[in-house]
Amino acid sequence: VSHRRPLLCVPLPELPDVQSGDDLAGMLTSVAPADLSGGDVLVVAHKIVSKSEGRLRRMAEIEPGKRALALAAEHGKDARLVQAVLDESAELLRTRQGVLICVTRQGFVCANAGIDRSNTAAADELVLLPEDPDASARRIRGGIELALGVRPAVVISDSFGRAWRVGQTDVAIGAAGLTPLDSWQGRPDAYGRELRVTEIAVADAIAAAADLARTKDSREPAVLVRGLERYVTEADGPGAATLRRAREQDLFR
Amino acid sequence: VSHRRPLLCVPLPELPDVQSGDDLAGMLTSVAPADLSGGDVLVVAHKIVSKSEGRLRRMAEIEPGKRALALAAEHGKDARLVQAVLDESAELLRTRQGVLICVTRQGFVCANAGIDRSNTAAADELVLLPEDPDASARRIRGGIELALGVRPAVVISDSFGRAWRVGQTDVAIGAAGLTPLDSWQGRPDAYGRELRVTEIAVADAIAAAADLARTKDSREPAVLVRGLERYVTEADGPGAATLRRAREQDLFR
């Protein structure tokens, strides 16, 4: 249809359950296609990254404090979960309608500080966000390069809600080897004039595209994305931290 | 790599300049591949939809009122552009940092009420959002069916900024024949427990994926997306209006 290479998103085969301490890069390598290339992007659901890094808490071991107990009573939530959310948050932005919108310690704005209860082997286990998802992405990229000699870009994704849109979309919470933001500022458009849209959040769009290629009830936590060589960089680069809006640029905090 | 059909996004060939009154469905039909199918999704940049519908204004013909003059002076903007933004807005949410964040008359929250100056043939021409983008999507879908006898889903996209993330991503402002929101509420995950992520904004993810397949300086306003048959519906359905968060659900307005 076009002269350009199409965008292609293919889930990698299912992985076995990931445990704390597992070599995630090795596990991904074992299911990656033989023709994995340095121009590919590998999108990995944060949950298996968190698990491999031991970013887990058991509800039974959490002692809720005063604030957690009050918030839990007010919002009809489990006080131990609320305590875990507070422990992962730098700030609570909104606590209405039974939803806790947080600024996480990593600087992300999302519900429940990104803590997840689903898809975990133990019913009372909480999955936290990775401590430093850009560092996680760099480690995975490095591990893949060690094993296979190629350096695909790595994106770590999570599903975030949006302020003014219904439903979640996947965004990039970590990235390595990818231009996270494609800035068009100063570049002319097809008519040589100024563009209204000046910065495309490429890493977030990649995370959203990858999520379309799988279903949530599958165990396909990694998706291979092809056709984006123009955004893949040799250096690990600034990562997805670039996409966190700074507090002083935030009109809605 | 997987048993499932991969997600594929391919830009359709460049279109000639779209003019007010043009038969957009016919133009898209003429560049669509011969194997266009009823399970495909066609993502169309809103700008050519707006142009074909005559949703254009000339700066020279706009007389700014008092409020527009005051806002323009305060934010260093062209008062005629500000007047056009006010005319398209139901409400201004924020007017700081030279940015006008609006609720458009259609109910979208975005900068400058979605008005665009770029990629237009006349330097002083403004491109407004379609009056009713879901109706536009239905018309395009109907026109394609008339011409080719197949009913692919149609998504109309625009690039919106986000409250807490840097950069824009494409979202669906109109849709026909697509499940806009994939609700997982009540459905068990791979471990049979409750999911944190319960509603995926499928139409927005499709718009974002399609945008990755082209470059902003190209004249490729339409992208064919394949592999999403499970979201394509015979009925035109509720459209992208589903994805506009209702005021009473909005924690950040």
Side-chain angles (χ1 to χ4, degrees), chain B residues 87-138:
Chain B
D87 292 344
E88 293 299 310
S89 295
E91 187 184 345
L92 287 194
L93 286 191
R94 293 288 189 283
T95 57
R96 272 189 290 160
Q97 301 175 355
V99 175
L100 307 181
I101 308 289
C102 313
V103 185
T104 71
R105 291 193 283 108
Q106 298 91 341
F108 301 115
V109 178
C110 59
N112 288 342
I115 294 178
D116 215 316
R117 295 179 68 170
S118 65
N119 283 316
T120 56
D124 81 335
E125 197 171 59
L126 303 178
V127 184
L128 317 178
L129 293 183
E131 283 276 1
D132 179 349
D134 282 328
S136 306
R138 290 193 294 269

Side-chain angles (χ1 to χ4, degrees), chain B residues 175-186:
Chain B
L178 190 78
T179 305
L181 196 63
D182 189 20
S183 179
W184 285 83
Q185 235 140 7

Side-chain angles (χ1 to χ4, degrees), chain B residues 53-81:
Chain B
E53 296 177 354
R55 291 280 292 155
L56 302 163
R57 288 184 79 175
R58 293 207 169 264
M59 291 276 268
E61 294 166 5
I62 298 172
E63 188 73 53
K66 249 189 189 167
R67 191 178 176 207
L69 287 165
L71 278 168
E74 187 185 344
H75 294 281
K77 294 177 99 70
D78 188 311
R80 298 165 304 170
L81 174 63

Side-chain angles (χ1 to χ4, degrees), chain A residues 17 120 168 191 193 199 213, chain B residues 17 120 168 191 193 199:
Chain A
D17 251 4
T120 55
Q168 293 97 358
Y191 295 86
R193 270 178 305 281
E199 292 186 309
Chain B
D17 251 4
T120 56
Q168 292 97 359
Y191 296 86
R193 269 178 307 279
E199 292 186 310

Side-chain angles (χ1 to χ4, degrees), chain A residues 1-4 6-13 17 31 33 46 51 93-94 96-97 99 101 108-109 111-112 114-123 158-169 171-173 181 184 188-191 193-202 204-206 208-209 211-220 224 228 230-231 240 242-246 248-253, chain B residues 1-4 6-13 17 31 33 46 51 93-94 96-97 99 101 108-109 111-112 114-123 158-169 171-173 181 184 188-191 193-202 204-206 208-209 211-220 224 228 230-231 240 242-246 248-253:
Chain A
V1 180
S2 167
H3 57 287
R4 291 209 295 118
L7 179 77
L8 188 74
C9 302
V10 196
L12 298 189
D17 251 4
V31 292
H46 91 275
K51 286 181 181 177
L93 287 191
R94 293 288 187 284
R96 272 189 289 159
Q97 302 175 352
V99 176
I101 308 289
F108 300 115
V109 178
N112 288 342
I115 295 179
D116 216 314
R117 296 179 68 170
S118 65
N119 283 314
T120 55
D158 193 9
S159 305
F160 280 9
R162 292 89 50 85
W164 305 297
R165 306 278 295 166
V166 174
Q168 293 97 358
T169 56
V171 299
I173 64 168
L181 196 64
W184 285 83
D189 64 20
Y191 295 86
R193 270 178 305 281
E194 184 196 357
L195 286 159
R196 174 170 68 95
V197 174
T198 50
E199 292 186 309
I200 312 295
V202 167
D204 285 346
I206 293 172
D211 190 46
L212 282 177
R214 63 174 168 224
T215 54
K216 283 279 170 212
D217 63 353
S218 73
R219 297 192 193 201
E220 297 164 332
L224 178 67
L228 296 176
R230 64 193 185 283
Y231 297 124
T242 312
L243 299 177
R244 297 192 312 242
R245 192 180 286 283
E248 60 274 17
Q249 299 291 327
D250 187 339
L251 302 180
F252 296 94
R253 197 168 284 192
Chain B
V1 180
S2 167
H3 57 287
R4 291 208 297 117
L7 179 77
L8 188 73
C9 303
V10 196
L12 298 189
D17 251 4
V31 293
H46 91 274
K51 286 181 181 177
L93 286 191
R94 293 288 189 283
R96 272 189 290 160
Q97 301 175 355
V99 175
I101 308 289
F108 301 115
V109 178
N112 288 342
I115 294 178
D116 215 316
R117 295 179 68 170
S118 65
N119 283 316
T120 56
D158 193 9
S159 305
F160 280 9
R162 292 91 48 87
W164 305 297
R165 306 278 295 168
V166 174
Q168 292 97 359
T169 56
V171 299
I173 63 168
L181 196 63
W184 285 83
D189 64 19
Y191 296 86
R193 269 178 307 279
E194 184 196 357
L195 285 160
R196 172 170 68 95
V197 175
T198 51
E199 292 186 310
I200 312 294
V202 167
D204 285 346
I206 292 172
D211 190 47
L212 281 177
R214 62 175 168 223
T215 54
K216 283 281 169 211
D217 64 352
S218 74
R219 297 192 193 200
E220 297 164 332
L224 178 66
L228 296 177
R230 66 193 186 281
Y231 296 124
T242 312
L243 299 176
R244 298 192 311 244
R245 192 181 286 282
E248 62 272 19
Q249 298 291 328
D250 187 339
L251 303 179
F252 295 94
R253 198 169 283 193

